[in-house]
Amino acid sequence: MLCACSGEQHKFEEAPQSPESLATRDFSASGLSSRTGDWESKLDEAQVEEAESTLKEALSLNYEEARALLGRLEYQQGNFEAALQVFQGIDIKGLIPKMIRAISERTKQNKPRSKTDIVVIPNVMSLHSVSLLSEAVLLKAKSLEGLGRYTESAKECRIILDIVGSAFPNGMPKGIGEDCKLQEMCHRALELLPNLWIKAGFLDEAVTAYRRALVKPWNLEQPRLAALQKDLATTLLYAGVEVGPPSLLQVSGPTLKSNVEESILLLLILMSKMAIQEIDWDAEVMDHLTFALSVTGMFETLADRVEQILPGIYDRAERWYFLALCYSAAGHNEAALNLLRKACGSSEGTHGPHFPSLLFGAKLCSQHPSYAHEGIKFSREVIDLAKNQNEHFLGEGHKFLGICYGAAARLSALDSERSIFQRESLDFLNRAAVNGNGDPEVIFSLGLENAIQRNLDAAYDNIMIYSDVTIGSFARGWQLLALIVSAQQRFKDAETIVDFALDESGRMDQLELLRLKAVLQISQQQPKQAIETYRILLALIQAKRELWLQDENVDQAKEFKHEVLTERKLEMEAWQDLATIYGDIGSLLDAKACVNKAQFIEFFSPRSWHITGMLFENRSLYKEALVSFSVSLSIEPDYIPSIISTAELLLKLGMQSLPIARSFLMNALRLEPTNHDAWFNLGLLSKREGSLQQAADFFQAAYELKLSAPVQKIE
């Protein structure tokens, strides 16, 4: 065989054919004329001279090498059909063993040598010939790709990797690319093969091809290796299919449980490379990682990666905003608000206000009543900026401002201030409803605020409008509607609404609706039905817990941590409600057992200690009851039921305790002005003191408030 790079000729079983006769036969087969005029119509003079020069350089080319050269010329001209005709004449399957042997034998020369030192190994191809034939296979694959025959193209492309993989089972050694183009052909095949499988619609084969490129060392440059890692990560992340690693690609180390985990690992590797500046910054990698970690609930990991990004990629306000989103999604709202304060602080004043941080700050504060006054500041800045720059966010600013004013009203200790805040809340929420173009969230917030302020007719109308414009789950709408109807003392209608909502809602919403149904049954003096409803609720929670224990999926447990905590809270509230029912019907032992169940879930629950105090009071153990109420208030000083119960107990102790009882009741009304129990006990206290007119006014207020009180507190 002829070594094209050395000019040496070797004997072959089949005599080489002349380039001229080969060209004539190839072009006739492809429908081209063999005449000189037709040949020149396809190739210009310079290209013919280049081909002749290449052929003359070799003393005599064998059949396959000549086809490889002529096929390359056709491919360079864009004649994919003609190139394919030429390449199909190469018996590559018969040459595979010779090519593998040539690669193995020729690369055993470990001593460094100059390019002029030719090592002759008898009856073995030169690496140059192997490179030429590998290029022919690659160009054949690209010709098939150009003709839209992607599956055939991928199979041809895979031949190159099979040859090199057989010659180098442990990966390609360094230095092989110095004397020939074999390494470059292999690299191009590694990059091309997955794309061909994707175009052919075989995503599992594409993933396998990517993994094959990454599982062994192929001497890829870092940018090319990073590109393959990124492409595999995105394919795994967005392909929508699970592709397990085949047995040939099993490697030692921890087993990845899903394609998303593998994708995250690859993206984290790329982020580490960018952090040490091994590769250039690629914003798309960060975008993909953000999506992957978000859908898996790994927000704290995402925050850690954002903090590792080198300075200068994001400006400070943008970085703080990004981190705030991560920490908020992870449930660390205090940390998120601290970051937003930095992004909106005076240190960033020279760069102008960061509108997304202001908007997000207003949203977070609107969700947490304790930050209501800070939320008012954020919201007002949002409104001021929206008027000049972002008018489409004006409705959002009004919505958050209205919600924050409503929360501030409930925190206010002054009646005059509370009245102003309540009026401002409804005013801005109505503005948001006008500017929001039927935004369901605005309408729901308006209905909620009207319900809290006992504007029941307006609240009912708002929630009915909300039901008309809402697409998807309406569980919280049904729940609020049932509470509004119950505040109108239509308990049966409210229960009917809950029954309807149970059929339309998801599992978590069903648990909350079941508890509401039981509370409505209690209001209708149906304790047996309520106990049965609680039994169903607790059975569902227990069944779900058993599924969690059987699953033993730690990652899934982290992902649904919020759901687990919600179920635990619902379970505790169910036991507390049952304790109250049993206490009311005189079954004190059952009531105590239910309280113990609730305290086992959360020992420091103010309601559990309050119920314990009520049970002591039912047994005329006033001292023990007072201690239990005190424990409840030490856990939560503003727990209104314990404040009122303490006042009731003091009323029973005699005239000397009346001033203290009045103090407790006034504190309860400061916290919740619409609490009818506080007004009623204040009337009893005034009657005991001899202020009959004042007592009558208090009783009247208690009666009117009770007529508009929902069965559960609206929050």
Side-chain angles (χ1 to χ4, degrees):
M1 174 176 146
L2 173 69
C3 178
C5 61
S6 64
E8 292 180 347
Q9 183 178 2
H10 304 281
K11 293 182 180 180
F12 284 82
E13 295 177 2
E14 182 177 335
Q17 299 184 16
S18 68
E20 290 79 10
S21 63
L22 178 64
T24 302
R25 189 175 65 178
D26 287 340
F27 282 82
S28 298
S30 61
L32 301 174
S33 173
S34 62
R35 291 175 298 177
T36 304
D38 291 336
W39 168 264
E40 289 176 351
S41 68
K42 287 293 177 185
L43 300 173
D44 58 31
E45 227 175 296
Q47 289 165 333
V48 173
E49 289 176 3
E50 182 184 351
E52 289 178 350
S53 173
T54 304
L55 297 179
K56 287 176 183 178
E57 229 175 48
L59 298 177
S60 177
L61 287 175
N62 68 13
Y63 180 74
E64 285 80 11
E65 291 171 340
R67 278 187 170 273
L69 288 171
L70 289 169
R72 181 204 294 172
L73 289 173
E74 284 293 346
Y75 177 80
Q76 290 172 346
Q77 286 294 305
N79 301 324
F80 299 141
E81 287 280 4
L84 190 59
Q85 292 283 349
V86 175
F87 289 133
Q88 284 175 341
I90 301 175
D91 182 19
I92 197 66
K93 291 185 179 179
L95 292 171
I96 287 176
K98 296 180 181 180
M99 295 173 71
I100 293 173
R101 183 189 171 204
I103 295 171
S104 300
E105 294 291 337
R106 298 276 180 186
T107 54
K108 285 180 181 178
Q109 309 299 320
N110 295 326
K111 294 182 180 180
R113 56 189 176 84
S114 65
K115 295 182 180 180
T116 57
D117 295 334
I118 306 299
V119 178
V120 180
I121 303 176
N123 299 323
V124 176
M125 280 187 187
S126 68
L127 284 181
H128 183 86
S129 297
V130 174
S131 301
L132 188 62
L133 292 172
S134 298
E135 183 186 31
V137 177
L138 182 67
L139 294 180
K140 181 180 179 182
K142 292 183 75 66
S143 298
L144 287 166
E145 179 190 14
L147 296 172
R149 295 157 65 177
Y150 302 118
T151 303
E152 296 175 60
S153 175
K155 291 178 180 178
E156 291 292 331
C157 187
R158 189 167 57 189
I159 292 174
I160 302 173
L161 302 181
D162 291 340
I163 292 170
V164 178
S166 299
F168 303 129
N170 298 319
M172 187 174 287
K174 294 182 179 180
I176 193 174
E178 296 176 359
D179 297 333
C180 63
K181 296 193 294 182
L182 177 61
Q183 179 173 278
E184 178 60 24
M185 293 301 105
C186 178
H187 290 176
R188 290 170 63 184
L190 287 170
E191 295 168 334
L192 179 62
L193 182 57
N195 292 323
L196 292 174
W197 284 123
I198 290 173
K199 289 180 179 179
F202 297 98
L203 294 176
D204 53 342
E205 292 289 348
V207 170
T208 301
Y210 278 124
R211 287 170 174 164
R212 183 177 187 176
L214 298 176
V215 77
K216 293 181 182 178
W218 298 100
N219 293 340
L220 283 163
E221 298 172 353
Q222 280 300 326
R224 299 177 81 167
L225 178 62
L228 284 171
Q229 290 172 328
K230 175 184 169 183
D231 290 343
L232 174 56
T234 54
T235 303
L236 291 168
L237 194 57
Y238 305 116
V241 294
E242 282 291 326
V243 185
S247 57
L248 293 176
L249 294 185
Q250 294 285 1
V251 294
S252 60
T255 303
L256 297 172
K257 297 179 181 178
S258 69
N259 289 169
V260 175
E261 285 186 21
E262 185 178 351
S263 174
I264 290 172
L265 179 60
L266 289 165
L267 293 168
L268 289 175
I269 291 172
L270 291 172
M271 289 295 294
S272 299
K273 289 182 178 180
M274 290 190 289
I276 61 175
Q277 297 183 313
E278 193 173 292
I279 57 175
D280 294 334
W281 170 256
D282 186 351
E284 288 186 0
V285 172
M286 190 64 211
D287 293 341
H288 297 315
L289 183 62
T290 300
F291 173 78
L293 293 176
S294 297
V295 297
T296 53
M298 302 170 66
F299 299 106
E300 293 183 27
T301 303
L302 179 58
D304 291 339
R305 289 296 161 176
V306 174
E307 290 177 348
Q308 293 175 19
I309 295 174
L310 295 174
I313 303 297
Y314 299 118
D315 60 44
R316 291 194 301 177
E318 194 68 28
R319 183 190 294 262
W320 286 329
Y321 173 66
F322 200 161
L323 284 170
L325 290 172
C326 297
Y327 284 119
S328 174
H332 305 307
N333 291 310
E334 181 62 41
L337 269 174
N338 285 334
L339 289 164
L340 293 172
R341 291 181 188 114
K342 286 185 177 182
C344 304
S346 57
S347 62
E348 300 301 310
T350 55
H351 302 288
H354 191 249
F355 186 81
S357 295
L358 290 169
L359 188 63
F360 189 41
K363 180 179 180 179
L364 282 182
C365 291
S366 71
Q367 294 171 347
H368 299 86
S370 57
Y371 300 116
H373 291 284
E374 190 173 6
I376 291 172
K377 295 178 182 178
F378 275 122
S379 301
R380 287 202 174 277
E381 290 189 56
V382 168
I383 292 170
D384 291 340
L385 288 173
K387 288 178 180 177
N388 301 322
Q389 303 173 14
N390 305 281
E391 291 188 5
H392 52 290
F393 285 116
L394 195 59
E396 290 294 301
H398 285 142
K399 178 181 74 174
F400 295 141
L401 185 56
I403 295 172
C404 289
Y405 266 127
R410 290 180 280 284
L411 294 175
S412 178
L414 300 175
D415 290 340
S416 58
E417 186 180 60
R418 184 186 303 113
S419 177
I420 292 171
F421 286 165
Q422 287 178 337
R423 186 170 60 252
E424 292 286 343
S425 175
L426 291 178
D427 181 41
F428 282 108
L429 285 173
N430 278 304
R431 289 192 200 180
V434 173
N435 295 329
N437 297 320
D439 182 2
E441 290 297 318
V442 175
I443 298 171
F444 181 84
S445 298
L446 183 58
L448 179 62
E449 186 61 33
N450 273 314
I452 291 172
Q453 296 187 27
R454 303 291 177 90
N455 302 321
L456 299 181
D457 291 338
Y460 182 86
D461 293 339
N462 293 143
I463 297 305
M464 293 307 295
I465 295 172
Y466 175 72
S467 67
D468 293 335
V469 298
T470 300
I471 299 174
S473 177
F474 184 63
R476 63 172 184 169
W478 291 122
Q479 192 169 357
L480 180 56
L481 182 60
L483 289 173
I484 293 170
V485 172
S486 73
Q488 296 172 334
Q489 308 305 301
R490 295 156 52 194
F491 300 119
K492 192 61 181 176
D493 291 341
E495 188 178 352
T496 302
I497 292 170
V498 171
D499 287 334
F500 182 80
L502 284 169
D503 297 332
E504 301 290 326
S505 303
R507 186 184 172 282
M508 281 304 301
D509 295 326
Q510 284 180 340
L511 297 179
E512 294 180 2
L513 289 166
L514 276 172
R515 181 177 178 238
L516 176 56
K517 179 178 180 178
V519 173
L520 287 167
Q521 289 169 337
I522 294 170
S523 299
Q524 298 175 71
Q525 305 300 318
Q526 299 172 351
K528 290 184 179 180
Q529 291 88 329
I531 291 171
E532 177 62 19
T533 303
Y534 281 120
R535 187 193 64 78
I536 296 171
L537 171 60
L538 292 170
L540 290 173
I541 294 174
Q542 180 64 27
K544 180 64 175 179
R545 182 181 299 115
E546 290 176 359
L547 287 175
W548 278 97
L549 293 174
Q550 292 174 6
D551 192 18
E552 295 181 352
N553 190 331
V554 177
D555 295 329
Q556 193 177 16
K558 290 180 180 178
E559 183 178 350
F560 296 103
K561 181 179 178 181
H562 176 72
E563 183 177 333
V564 173
L565 292 175
T566 302
E567 285 186 357
R568 294 286 285 176
K569 182 183 176 184
L570 272 171
E571 183 181 8
M572 180 183 70
E573 291 172 342
W575 287 118
Q576 290 169 342
D577 291 346
L578 282 170
T580 302
I581 294 174
Y582 285 125
D584 291 341
I585 63 177
S587 183
L588 299 183
L589 290 178
D590 290 334
K592 182 59 180 175
C594 292
V595 170
N596 291 337
K597 290 274 191 180
Q599 288 184 324
F600 179 77
I601 298 172
E602 176 57 63
F603 185 76
F604 295 103
S605 168
R607 189 180 177 206
S608 294
W609 284 100
H610 171 74
I611 296 171
T612 302
M614 296 295 293
L615 295 178
F616 280 128
E617 189 176 356
N618 288 341
R619 294 160 57 191
S620 300
L621 300 174
Y622 298 131
K623 184 177 179 180
E624 290 80 356
L626 194 59
V627 170
S628 296
F629 295 145
S630 299
V631 173
S632 175
L633 292 174
S634 68
I635 297 171
E636 186 178 330
D638 292 338
Y639 187 63
I640 295 173
S642 290
I643 295 174
I644 296 174
S645 293
T646 302
E648 289 178 355
L649 201 57
L650 291 171
L651 283 174
K652 294 178 181 179
L653 295 178
M655 293 294 294
Q656 293 181 347
S657 304
L658 294 185
I660 303 175
R662 179 180 288 275
S663 176
F664 274 98
L665 293 171
M666 294 304 293
N667 186 37
L669 290 174
R670 177 186 65 83
L671 295 170
E672 188 181 350
T674 56
N675 190 295
H676 59 273
D677 287 330
W679 285 105
F680 178 78
N681 282 284
L682 199 57
L684 291 176
L685 188 148
S686 297
K687 183 179 179 181
R688 292 277 296 274
E689 291 177 338
S691 303
L692 299 182
Q693 182 59 47
Q694 189 179 58
D697 293 339
F698 290 153
F699 288 140
Q700 180 68 26
Y703 173 75
E704 292 178 0
L705 288 171
K706 188 174 182 179
L707 288 179
S708 62
V711 293
Q712 281 182 345
K713 186 177 179 181
I714 298 176
E715 296 177 322

